[in-house]
Amino acid sequence: MSVAVILVLVAPLAGALLAPAFGDYPAQRRLVVGACLAAMLGGAALALVRTVDGSPVAWRGFTFDVWRAVLVAGAVFSSALAVARADEHERAGLVQAALFGGTAALVAPLLLTGAHTLAVALPIGTLGVAVAAFALTGDGPGLLRGGRSVGALAASDVLALVVVGMALSKGTRLPQDLSLVGGFLLLAAAALRLGLAPLASALDDSVEADAGLGLLFNGGVRAQGFLLALMAVGSHRTVAYAAAAVGAFSLLVVAARAAFARSAEAPGASVASTGTAVALIGFALGGTPATWGAVLALAASFAAWPLWSAGVPFASTARASLAALPAGGLLTGSALVVVAAVDASTARPWFLALALPAIAALLSIAAGVWESRDEERAGEPIAGGVVAAIGFATVLALAAVPARAASGLGIPVANLLGSGRLLTTGSAPGIPEDLAAVALAAAVVAFAAGPGRLGRGGAPGRRRIERSRSFLDWWARAASAPSYGSTLARDAATATARRWGAAGALLFAVSVGLALRVYIVAAGRGFL
Amino acid sequence: MTARSRVAFASGAAGLVGATLLLSGRFDGSVALALLFAWGARVAVDASLVDAGPILASGATQRLAQQASFAPAWALVIATGVLRAGTSGLADLRGVNGIAGLAVARGDALSVVGAWCALAAGALAIASRGSNGIETAAPSGSGARVMPPVSLRRLDAGGALAQAGLLATLFFGPQIAEATDVVWWAAGVAALAVVAWEGRRLTFRHAPAVAAALGAAGLALVLIGGSP
């Protein structure tokens, strides 16, 4: 079964070639781009379905298993929306080509099972992101932020490749048998890609630079982060504790921002960050319920932001539905992870350090998500519609039948990943299907027969304070950049961006050197 | 009425139904899930008003922030109850209250004090909520009050009762085997409802911090005192 792999890898490459070719013909370009996106999304969906069924999905050196299929689906989903948003860009064809290319470069490492090929593919993915960042951001502050995020990504590459090089003596098959130091380094590399505090600057910078670049980070880069994070978490119990601590701390930071800082972050983005942190805690805990919950939270975190953006052209209902945290995969997943942590606390109270931030953060985010700023439109027609339709279907499935979602998605991944490092017992199911059905029925009735007219139409355009500071800002947020207001500031930002570009290029060169060394050593030892 | 208001109200209604079904024992579930459902119901009231025009929206926005600031307190309250009982399942919690005795009366002295601290923190969190209505100036110069729709006020009351039921399950509500067991539930929930009702008239600026401090003290005492 290789069609899925070919579609996922070739469709974005085809899009990268065809989008600029039709650059001067918007209607035709939309058609071509829509077809490429549909093929890409279809390939990811097909891979997910086939791997959940247990069928092998592979083509040459590229292999899907159910865990990688989840990651690829999330990456492709976000990238599709990034491409859709670029439809209204003044250089739409080139920007869409850059995004397609970046998607292919980011997805490829997710399908590789050898350390030597992963070592080569990681820098190529970073290069793809760099090209997309350059195409999307133009000059000035956007370029500065984009350069900083790519520089951080290159630093993450260097860390990951050092770890791969350290573990190469034990073979090239992933996941490798890592040392304790290697596990911690790989966790740091993963945290940079996941955008979790205290290494959240790369993701934050990319979101601030351009929403399309943010979506690329939200999808492909985040998926790579999870791939690396699970290798790190599986290596040593101490690393698993550290990963869980990173997740709990990140939740605390997000909660503080939601409750006190009133940050300007879009709800879709903060839901994605929350889902990421919950998922990392769940994977670090391990055990059946926590892993199920982690997979569901991960799926919700991939879907959250694309849906938030893609819902704009339809109606505010779509966006508000997404913001309704008490339903859907994030609720189910979070509940499973939190319950696993709370249950563990009854035997070993130190697990409260994970459970308490998780509960507090989820509650405060559930309150804060309703009061939010709006985002600009997600781009016109075909592509946004495709993404939104798939996303709404996914979220509806997660929300309507959470226990079935766990059995259809969570259990296969949990079986593949095996028992975790911190917890290995328990088999609590998700939210019962009948309870979910009753709650959803109540929601439908309440929506139809809710309270009558409230006030006089509200105050659209009310925004949160843009950049209010809080004591946890430093941990969770990128450094400031000059405003777009003046020419001098823009020039200064461009000059700084050049310095960041030079630093990023240096790190990229180091990572390419490390990758070549890994490949040559692997070849010399007969691992290939 | 905006779509966001409708979705918020629908979420709250779904949360209230879910919390009621869990707390009434129709479905077995975790105390954390019941908390998320009940919280959703309580928050939905203000979320429905965020788009309701400048008069009601300003108060709603403040109350949303106020609710969020009580999140740490609720996390500590839940942790205290779960740690004291040694389980997070709602049915098991009621069983522990029935067999080992109520958390607020039985067990090590420190654990009992801790349970009272957590109960006080939870009661404070339920009661501390800005008024739904907004005072305005009428044309004649006399005061007027803009009130949200009655369905939202009912949802708010339902959410508060669900939170009271959650506290009862954690600290003083045993498995109902005979008529006297009902008394604990009825009296406790009624007392919490009265506290919540009367609390509307009081404004206590540092309530979230005090509730969190009480919850933390309760958790520390239960950690020291141990399970029954």
Side-chain angles (χ1 to χ4, degrees):
Chain A
M1 181 67 192
S2 57
V3 176
V5 186
I6 294 170
L7 283 176
V8 164
L9 290 176
V10 174
L13 290 176
L17 291 172
L18 293 174
F22 288 91
D24 293 334
Y25 308 98
Q28 287 83 352
R29 192 192 67 243
R30 279 183 194 135
L31 195 63
V32 169
V33 166
C36 290
L37 288 181
M40 199 166 80
L41 290 165
L46 183 63
L48 196 57
V49 170
R50 299 290 296 181
T51 50
V52 166
D53 284 346
S55 305
V57 180
W59 181 61
R60 297 187 180 271
F62 300 100
T63 306
F64 270 108
D65 54 36
V66 64
W67 166 236
R68 290 165 191 272
V70 170
L71 295 179
V72 168
V76 164
F77 190 52
S78 279
S79 291
L81 187 75
V83 174
R85 292 182 70 100
D87 191 62
E88 291 177 348
H89 199 281
E90 56 185 11
R91 295 173 298 153
L94 284 174
V95 170
Q96 285 179 327
L99 286 168
F100 270 126
T103 302
L106 284 173
V107 165
L110 301 173
L111 305 180
L112 297 169
T113 54
H116 57 297
T117 45
L118 181 73
V120 175
L122 281 178
I124 293 174
T126 302
L127 187 62
V129 174
V131 171
F134 187 71
L136 281 163
T137 53
D139 61 353
L143 184 64
L144 173 58
R145 289 191 179 282
R148 286 200 304 227
S149 63
V150 173
L153 194 56
S156 169
D157 281 352
V158 171
L159 285 174
L161 289 168
V162 165
V163 174
V164 170
M166 285 165 63
L168 200 58
S169 59
K170 294 163 185 168
T172 57
R173 186 171 175 77
L174 291 172
Q176 290 178 300
D177 188 14
L178 302 177
S179 65
L180 188 60
V181 174
F184 274 112
L185 285 177
L186 200 60
L187 180 64
L192 261 169
R193 286 176 135 82
L194 293 173
L196 293 177
L199 301 172
S201 66
L203 177 65
D204 195 48
D205 260 331
S206 67
V207 172
E208 296 278 342
D210 184 88
L213 184 62
L215 282 164
L216 218 54
F217 261 75
N218 178 67
V221 177
R222 189 196 299 270
Q224 288 184 353
F226 268 109
L227 190 73
L228 300 178
L230 255 68
M231 290 180 202
V233 163
S235 63
H236 293 276
R237 182 179 281 259
T238 318
V239 181
Y241 273 119
V246 166
F249 181 64
S250 292
L251 278 175
L252 202 63
V253 170
V254 175
R257 290 175 72 177
F260 306 118
R262 306 284 187 88
S263 68
E265 193 174 42
S270 51
V271 169
S273 300
T274 308
T276 303
V278 168
L280 189 59
I281 294 176
F283 286 128
L285 284 174
T288 309
T291 309
W292 294 354
V295 174
L296 294 182
L298 176 63
S301 76
F302 275 131
W305 193 7
L307 282 189
W308 178 257
S309 292
V312 182
F314 298 96
S316 54
T317 314
R319 314 186 72 183
S321 301
L322 186 70
L325 271 176
L330 188 55
L331 173 67
T332 316
S334 305
L336 281 167
V337 172
V338 166
V339 167
V342 168
D343 274 341
S345 308
T346 59
R348 280 179 285 176
W350 286 113
F351 278 103
L352 283 173
L354 304 178
L356 285 175
I359 297 174
L362 290 169
L363 293 181
S364 58
I365 291 162
V369 76
W370 293 103
E371 186 216 344
S372 57
R373 71 169 181 174
D374 288 333
E375 252 177 35
E376 67 270 26
R377 289 172 70 87
E380 272 309 320
I382 303 172
V386 170
V387 175
I390 293 174
F392 287 132
T394 308
V395 165
L396 192 63
L398 288 173
V401 280
R404 197 167 288 278
S407 64
L409 195 65
I411 292 173
V413 178
N415 289 339
L416 182 81
L417 296 176
S419 53
R421 281 282 164 181
L422 304 186
L423 292 177
T424 53
T425 57
S427 59
I431 298 174
E433 286 180 15
D434 33 10
L435 175 60
V438 173
L440 273 181
V444 170
V445 171
F447 182 80
R453 183 176 176 77
L454 300 172
R456 287 177 297 176
R462 192 175 49 250
R463 292 167 70 102
R464 288 178 168 200
I465 300 163
E466 278 295 326
R467 296 285 289 184
S468 64
R469 312 301 297 178
S470 78
F471 67 101
L472 286 168
D473 261 12
W474 183 84
W475 295 94
R477 195 171 264 175
S480 61
S483 72
Y484 286 85
S486 76
T487 309
L488 281 175
R490 194 166 58 240
D491 290 345
T494 305
T496 315
R498 280 199 200 99
R499 284 198 288 277
W500 272 96
L506 183 65
L507 286 169
F508 180 73
V510 171
S511 64
V512 169
L514 287 169
L516 284 175
R517 177 189 170 273
V518 166
Y519 201 90
I520 291 167
V521 170
R525 293 186 184 178
F527 287 142
L528 304 186
Chain B
M1 184 180 179
T2 65
R4 172 149 67 174
S5 300
R6 278 189 180 275
V7 174
F9 182 75
S11 303
L16 183 58
V17 168
T20 306
L21 290 172
L22 285 173
L23 291 168
S24 63
R26 300 294 297 173
F27 293 93
D28 193 19
S30 162
V31 66
L33 185 60
L35 173 65
L36 287 172
F37 275 142
W39 178 267
R42 205 80 199 276
V43 162
V45 178
D46 299 318
S48 300
L49 294 170
V50 164
D51 286 341
I55 296 175
L56 286 172
S58 60
T61 305
Q62 286 174 3
R63 286 194 299 275
L64 274 177
Q66 188 187 30
Q67 289 282 327
S69 62
F70 276 106
W74 275 112
L76 290 162
V77 168
I78 291 294
T80 306
V82 166
L83 211 60
R84 183 263 168 193
T87 176
S88 68
L90 286 166
D92 295 341
L93 272 163
R94 284 189 286 262
V96 170
N97 281 341
I99 295 168
L102 305 184
V104 290
R106 302 281 182 186
D108 185 90
L110 288 176
S111 290
V112 172
V113 176
W116 276 105
C117 285
L119 181 59
L124 191 57
I126 293 175
S128 298
R129 188 172 186 283
S131 173
N132 278 331
I134 298 290
E135 298 281 356
T136 62
S140 62
S142 59
R145 193 166 185 80
V146 179
M147 296 296 291
V150 68
S151 51
L152 287 183
R153 282 181 274 156
R154 285 178 186 151
L155 182 61
D156 188 31
L161 282 176
Q163 288 179 330
L166 186 62
L167 283 183
T169 305
L170 284 169
F171 299 114
F172 56 81
Q175 198 86 41
I176 297 176
E178 49 194 65
T180 51
D181 294 332
V182 180
V183 175
W184 287 104
W185 284 89
V189 172
L192 285 170
V194 169
V195 168
W197 182 259
E198 292 299 322
R200 294 176 315 142
R201 298 174 192 169
L202 306 173
T203 52
F204 182 20
R205 194 180 165 195
H206 301 295
V210 171
L214 279 170
L219 179 60
L221 289 170
V222 167
L223 275 170
I224 297 167
S227 299

Short mmCIF file of all heavy atoms in Angstrom, two decimals, chain A residues 82 86 89 91 94-103 105-106 124-138 142-143 146 149-150 209-210 212-214 216-217:
data_model
loop_
_atom_site.label_atom_id
_atom_site.label_comp_id
_atom_site.label_asym_id
_atom_site.label_seq_id
_atom_site.Cartn_x
_atom_site.Cartn_y
_atom_site.Cartn_z
N ALA A 82 -2.48 26.86 5.87
CA ALA A 82 -1.47 27.90 5.59
C ALA A 82 -1.46 28.23 4.10
O ALA A 82 -1.39 29.41 3.72
CB ALA A 82 -0.09 27.41 6.05
N ALA A 86 -2.67 31.86 2.10
CA ALA A 86 -1.80 32.60 1.19
C ALA A 86 -2.49 32.97 -0.12
O ALA A 86 -1.91 33.69 -0.94
CB ALA A 86 -0.55 31.77 0.90
N HIS A 89 -2.50 36.58 -0.68
CA HIS A 89 -1.20 37.26 -0.65
C HIS A 89 -0.93 37.91 -2.02
O HIS A 89 -1.37 37.39 -3.05
CB HIS A 89 -0.11 36.24 -0.32
CG HIS A 89 1.15 36.85 0.18
ND1 HIS A 89 2.08 37.42 -0.65
CD2 HIS A 89 1.64 36.99 1.44
CE1 HIS A 89 3.09 37.87 0.06
NE2 HIS A 89 2.85 37.63 1.35
N ARG A 91 1.75 37.98 -3.69
CA ARG A 91 2.53 37.06 -4.53
C ARG A 91 2.06 35.63 -4.23
O ARG A 91 2.85 34.78 -3.80
CB ARG A 91 4.01 37.20 -4.23
CG ARG A 91 4.59 38.56 -4.61
CD ARG A 91 6.02 38.68 -4.13
NE ARG A 91 6.09 38.60 -2.67
CZ ARG A 91 7.12 38.17 -1.99
NH1 ARG A 91 8.20 37.77 -2.61
NH2 ARG A 91 7.10 38.13 -0.66
N LEU A 94 3.94 32.32 -5.61
CA LEU A 94 5.25 32.01 -5.04
C LEU A 94 5.14 31.60 -3.58
O LEU A 94 5.80 30.65 -3.13
CB LEU A 94 6.16 33.24 -5.16
CG LEU A 94 6.73 33.50 -6.55
CD1 LEU A 94 7.48 34.82 -6.59
CD2 LEU A 94 7.66 32.35 -6.96
N VAL A 95 4.31 32.32 -2.84
CA VAL A 95 4.17 32.00 -1.42
C VAL A 95 3.57 30.61 -1.24
O VAL A 95 4.02 29.82 -0.40
CB VAL A 95 3.30 33.08 -0.73
CG1 VAL A 95 2.92 32.64 0.66
CG2 VAL A 95 4.04 34.40 -0.69
N GLN A 96 2.56 30.30 -2.04
CA GLN A 96 1.97 28.96 -1.93
C GLN A 96 2.98 27.88 -2.32
O GLN A 96 3.03 26.81 -1.71
CB GLN A 96 0.72 28.87 -2.81
CG GLN A 96 -0.46 29.62 -2.19
CD GLN A 96 -1.70 29.58 -3.05
OE1 GLN A 96 -1.62 29.56 -4.27
NE2 GLN A 96 -2.86 29.59 -2.42
N ALA A 97 3.80 28.18 -3.32
CA ALA A 97 4.84 27.21 -3.70
C ALA A 97 5.80 26.99 -2.54
O ALA A 97 6.18 25.85 -2.24
CB ALA A 97 5.59 27.73 -4.92
N ALA A 98 6.19 28.08 -1.87
CA ALA A 98 7.11 27.95 -0.73
C ALA A 98 6.48 27.13 0.39
O ALA A 98 7.13 26.29 1.02
CB ALA A 98 7.50 29.34 -0.23
N LEU A 99 5.18 27.36 0.61
CA LEU A 99 4.50 26.62 1.67
C LEU A 99 4.35 25.14 1.30
O LEU A 99 4.51 24.26 2.16
CB LEU A 99 3.13 27.24 1.94
CG LEU A 99 3.18 28.58 2.70
CD1 LEU A 99 1.81 29.26 2.67
CD2 LEU A 99 3.62 28.35 4.14
N PHE A 100 4.05 24.87 0.06
CA PHE A 100 3.97 23.47 -0.38
C PHE A 100 5.33 22.78 -0.20
O PHE A 100 5.42 21.66 0.31
CB PHE A 100 3.55 23.41 -1.85
CG PHE A 100 2.07 23.32 -2.07
CD1 PHE A 100 1.43 24.23 -2.90
CD2 PHE A 100 1.32 22.32 -1.48
CE1 PHE A 100 0.06 24.16 -3.12
CE2 PHE A 100 -0.06 22.24 -1.70
CZ PHE A 100 -0.68 23.16 -2.51
N GLY A 101 6.38 23.47 -0.63
CA GLY A 101 7.71 22.90 -0.49
C GLY A 101 8.08 22.67 0.97
O GLY A 101 8.63 21.63 1.34
N GLY A 102 7.76 23.67 1.80
CA GLY A 102 8.02 23.52 3.23
C GLY A 102 7.27 22.34 3.83
O GLY A 102 7.79 21.61 4.67
N THR A 103 6.05 22.14 3.36
CA THR A 103 5.26 21.02 3.87
C THR A 103 5.91 19.68 3.52
O THR A 103 6.06 18.80 4.39
CB THR A 103 3.84 21.06 3.25
OG1 THR A 103 3.25 22.30 3.57
CG2 THR A 103 2.99 19.93 3.76
N ALA A 105 9.00 19.14 2.87
CA ALA A 105 10.26 19.00 3.61
C ALA A 105 10.02 18.67 5.08
O ALA A 105 10.81 17.97 5.70
CB ALA A 105 11.07 20.29 3.50
N LEU A 106 8.92 19.17 5.64
CA LEU A 106 8.63 18.90 7.05
C LEU A 106 8.02 17.51 7.25
O LEU A 106 8.23 16.87 8.29
CB LEU A 106 7.66 19.95 7.59
CG LEU A 106 8.25 21.33 7.89
CD1 LEU A 106 7.15 22.31 8.25
CD2 LEU A 106 9.26 21.24 9.02
N ILE A 124 16.84 19.53 6.04
CA ILE A 124 16.09 19.88 4.82
C ILE A 124 14.73 20.48 5.21
O ILE A 124 14.27 21.45 4.61
CB ILE A 124 15.91 18.62 3.94
CG1 ILE A 124 17.27 18.18 3.40
CG2 ILE A 124 14.95 18.89 2.78
CD1 ILE A 124 17.24 16.88 2.64
N GLY A 125 14.11 19.92 6.22
CA GLY A 125 12.85 20.48 6.71
C GLY A 125 13.03 21.91 7.19
O GLY A 125 12.21 22.80 6.91
N THR A 126 14.13 22.15 7.91
CA THR A 126 14.41 23.51 8.40
C THR A 126 14.62 24.47 7.24
O THR A 126 14.17 25.62 7.26
CB THR A 126 15.65 23.48 9.31
OG1 THR A 126 15.39 22.58 10.38
CG2 THR A 126 15.95 24.86 9.86
N LEU A 127 15.30 23.97 6.21
CA LEU A 127 15.51 24.81 5.03
C LEU A 127 14.17 25.16 4.38
O LEU A 127 13.94 26.31 3.96
CB LEU A 127 16.40 24.06 4.02
CG LEU A 127 16.85 24.84 2.80
CD1 LEU A 127 17.70 26.03 3.20
CD2 LEU A 127 17.61 23.94 1.83
N GLY A 128 13.27 24.18 4.33
CA GLY A 128 11.94 24.44 3.78
C GLY A 128 11.20 25.51 4.57
O GLY A 128 10.56 26.41 3.99
N VAL A 129 11.30 25.43 5.89
CA VAL A 129 10.65 26.45 6.72
C VAL A 129 11.28 27.81 6.50
O VAL A 129 10.59 28.84 6.45
CB VAL A 129 10.73 26.05 8.22
CG1 VAL A 129 10.18 27.15 9.10
CG2 VAL A 129 9.96 24.77 8.44
N ALA A 130 12.60 27.83 6.34
CA ALA A 130 13.30 29.11 6.13
C ALA A 130 12.83 29.76 4.83
O ALA A 130 12.58 30.98 4.79
CB ALA A 130 14.81 28.86 6.09
N VAL A 131 12.71 28.97 3.78
CA VAL A 131 12.24 29.52 2.50
C VAL A 131 10.82 30.06 2.65
O VAL A 131 10.50 31.17 2.19
CB VAL A 131 12.30 28.42 1.41
CG1 VAL A 131 11.62 28.90 0.14
CG2 VAL A 131 13.75 28.05 1.12
N ALA A 132 9.98 29.29 3.32
CA ALA A 132 8.59 29.75 3.52
C ALA A 132 8.56 31.03 4.35
O ALA A 132 7.79 31.96 4.06
CB ALA A 132 7.78 28.65 4.19
N ALA A 133 9.40 31.08 5.39
CA ALA A 133 9.43 32.27 6.25
C ALA A 133 9.85 33.50 5.44
O ALA A 133 9.27 34.58 5.57
CB ALA A 133 10.38 32.05 7.41
N PHE A 134 10.86 33.31 4.61
CA PHE A 134 11.35 34.43 3.80
C PHE A 134 10.26 34.88 2.82
O PHE A 134 10.07 36.08 2.61
CB PHE A 134 12.61 33.99 3.05
CG PHE A 134 13.29 35.10 2.32
CD1 PHE A 134 13.96 36.10 3.02
CD2 PHE A 134 13.25 35.18 0.95
CE1 PHE A 134 14.58 37.13 2.36
CE2 PHE A 134 13.87 36.22 0.28
CZ PHE A 134 14.54 37.20 0.98
N ALA A 135 9.58 33.93 2.24
CA ALA A 135 8.53 34.29 1.26
C ALA A 135 7.34 34.97 1.92
O ALA A 135 6.71 35.85 1.34
CB ALA A 135 8.07 33.03 0.53
N LEU A 136 7.05 34.59 3.15
CA LEU A 136 5.83 35.09 3.80
C LEU A 136 6.01 36.43 4.47
O LEU A 136 5.07 37.23 4.56
CB LEU A 136 5.35 34.07 4.85
CG LEU A 136 4.60 32.86 4.34
CD1 LEU A 136 4.56 31.77 5.39
CD2 LEU A 136 3.18 33.25 3.94
N THR A 137 7.22 36.70 4.96
CA THR A 137 7.34 37.83 5.88
C THR A 137 7.85 39.12 5.25
O THR A 137 7.74 40.17 5.86
CB THR A 137 8.28 37.46 7.04
OG1 THR A 137 9.51 36.99 6.49
CG2 THR A 137 7.68 36.39 7.91
N GLY A 138 8.41 39.09 4.08
CA GLY A 138 8.87 40.33 3.48
C GLY A 138 10.05 40.90 4.25
O GLY A 138 11.02 40.20 4.52
N GLY A 142 8.51 41.50 10.67
CA GLY A 142 8.09 40.13 10.32
C GLY A 142 9.28 39.27 9.96
O GLY A 142 9.39 38.12 10.39
N LEU A 143 10.21 39.85 9.19
CA LEU A 143 11.40 39.11 8.80
C LEU A 143 12.25 38.79 10.03
O LEU A 143 12.82 37.70 10.15
CB LEU A 143 12.20 39.92 7.79
CG LEU A 143 13.44 39.23 7.21
CD1 LEU A 143 13.04 38.01 6.40
CD2 LEU A 143 14.23 40.19 6.35
N GLY A 146 10.55 36.00 11.87
CA GLY A 146 10.72 34.77 11.11
C GLY A 146 12.15 34.24 11.21
O GLY A 146 12.37 33.04 11.39
N SER A 149 12.73 32.64 14.57
CA SER A 149 12.10 31.31 14.72
C SER A 149 12.88 30.26 13.93
O SER A 149 13.08 29.14 14.41
CB SER A 149 10.64 31.36 14.29
OG SER A 149 10.54 31.68 12.93
N VAL A 150 13.35 30.62 12.74
CA VAL A 150 14.14 29.65 11.96
C VAL A 150 15.48 29.38 12.65
O VAL A 150 15.96 28.24 12.66
CB VAL A 150 14.34 30.17 10.53
CG1 VAL A 150 15.28 29.27 9.76
CG2 VAL A 150 13.00 30.23 9.79
N ALA A 209 5.10 36.53 13.43
CA ALA A 209 5.64 36.94 12.14
C ALA A 209 4.57 36.87 11.06
O ALA A 209 4.37 37.81 10.30
CB ALA A 209 6.83 36.06 11.77
N ASP A 210 3.90 35.74 10.99
CA ASP A 210 2.86 35.56 9.98
C ASP A 210 2.03 34.34 10.37
O ASP A 210 2.58 33.33 10.80
CB ASP A 210 3.49 35.34 8.60
CG ASP A 210 2.43 35.24 7.51
OD1 ASP A 210 2.06 36.30 6.96
OD2 ASP A 210 1.97 34.12 7.24
N GLY A 212 0.52 32.27 8.51
CA GLY A 212 0.84 31.10 7.69
C GLY A 212 2.07 30.37 8.22
O GLY A 212 2.09 29.14 8.30
N LEU A 213 3.10 31.16 8.59
CA LEU A 213 4.29 30.54 9.17
C LEU A 213 3.95 29.88 10.50
O LEU A 213 4.45 28.79 10.81
CB LEU A 213 5.37 31.62 9.35
CG LEU A 213 6.73 31.14 9.85
CD1 LEU A 213 7.35 30.17 8.87
CD2 LEU A 213 7.66 32.32 10.09
N GLY A 214 3.09 30.55 11.27
CA GLY A 214 2.66 29.95 12.54
C GLY A 214 1.97 28.62 12.32
O GLY A 214 2.17 27.67 13.08
N LEU A 216 2.50 26.57 9.85
CA LEU A 216 3.53 25.60 9.48
C LEU A 216 4.21 25.05 10.74
O LEU A 216 4.49 23.86 10.84
CB LEU A 216 4.57 26.28 8.57
CG LEU A 216 5.14 25.47 7.42
CD1 LEU A 216 4.05 24.91 6.53
CD2 LEU A 216 6.09 26.32 6.59
N PHE A 217 4.48 25.93 11.69
CA PHE A 217 5.04 25.49 12.96
C PHE A 217 4.03 24.65 13.72
O PHE A 217 4.37 23.64 14.32
CB PHE A 217 5.46 26.70 13.81
CG PHE A 217 6.91 27.01 13.74
CD1 PHE A 217 7.45 27.60 12.61
CD2 PHE A 217 7.76 26.71 14.78
CE1 PHE A 217 8.81 27.88 12.53
CE2 PHE A 217 9.11 26.98 14.72
CZ PHE A 217 9.64 27.57 13.59
#
